Amino acid sequence: MMISFTINGEQTTVDVDPDTPLLWVIRDELDLKGTKFGCGKAACGACTIHVDGQAVRACSFAVKFAAGKNITTIEGLGTAENLHPVQQAWIEEIVPQCGYCQPGFMMATAAMLEKIPNPTDEDIDNNIVNVCRCATYYRMRKAIHRAAEIRNSNA
């Protein structure tokens, strides 16, 4: 089945089984490897992307539901010349250890900051429920607050 959507600002059409998880279309058909496979059950958040600005777990989101939508992956969040505030904060706070889960955390954070520009620690606890096996949660919390500062200073 032909399914069309916009990904990272570019219109694309794929010919895949409509029940294929969007994660595999992104990684295998479109060769965008930043979005990671973690648990395959929408529990860990390693595969978090944006669908029309909402954080979505791509491992459990059938590609048929992406038709006509705007998809953003970590590759489309910012550019090397113009980092997204979340990317800038992650670098400043030296967040990653192994880095595997970080794209999902960054995408979840970017979506949260659109809804909650000045998150409290409680907001972060309630909205960022991804899992990091390296336990970089303290540095991520600092980076989320820093990303909010950067974002608000650019507004």
Side-chain angles (χ1 to χ4, degrees):
M1 178 178 182
M2 302 298 280
I3 300 170
S4 297
F5 52 88
T6 300
I7 187 159
N8 299 333
E10 294 188 23
Q11 182 69 32
T12 192
T13 300
V14 293
D15 185 10
V16 296
D17 179 329
D19 291 324
T20 302
L22 182 56
L23 171 65
W24 300 122
V25 173
I26 290 170
R27 288 185 58 84
D28 297 343
E29 300 293 325
L30 303 176
D31 202 31
L32 296 169
K33 305 295 189 186
T35 305
K36 306 298 186 199
F37 174 77
C39 65
K41 299 177 181 175
C44 75
C47 63
T48 304
I49 60 169
H50 295 173
V51 177
D52 286 344
Q54 300 295 312
V56 169
R57 307 282 168 98
C59 71
S60 299
F61 189 85
V63 67
K64 64 186 172 190
F65 298 122
K69 306 282 187 185
N70 289 308
I71 311 297
T72 305
T73 68
I74 191 69
E75 291 91 344
L77 192 59
T79 65
E81 298 79 28
N82 187 22
L83 294 175
H84 186 280
V86 173
Q87 294 168 315
Q88 184 178 340
W90 245 246
I91 292 168
E92 288 179 12
E93 298 297 336
I94 312 170
V95 173
Q97 283 193 1
C98 84
Y100 190 84
C101 65
Q102 299 303 307
F105 271 100
M106 295 169 78
M107 296 304 289
T109 298
M112 180 189 70
L113 291 177
E114 288 298 317
K115 295 178 193 169
I116 307 170
N118 295 303
T120 63
D121 285 346
E122 184 178 358
D123 293 327
I124 294 168
D125 291 343
N126 291 334
N127 288 281
I128 307 299
V129 293
N130 297 33
V131 176
C132 173
R133 296 176 76 181
C134 301
T136 60
Y137 298 107
Y138 175 73
R139 292 196 310 251
M140 281 190 266
R141 183 180 303 277
K142 285 178 57 180
I144 292 167
H145 286 297
R146 178 70 185 128
E149 291 172 8
I150 295 167
R151 183 179 179 277
N152 294 335
S153 70
N154 292 340

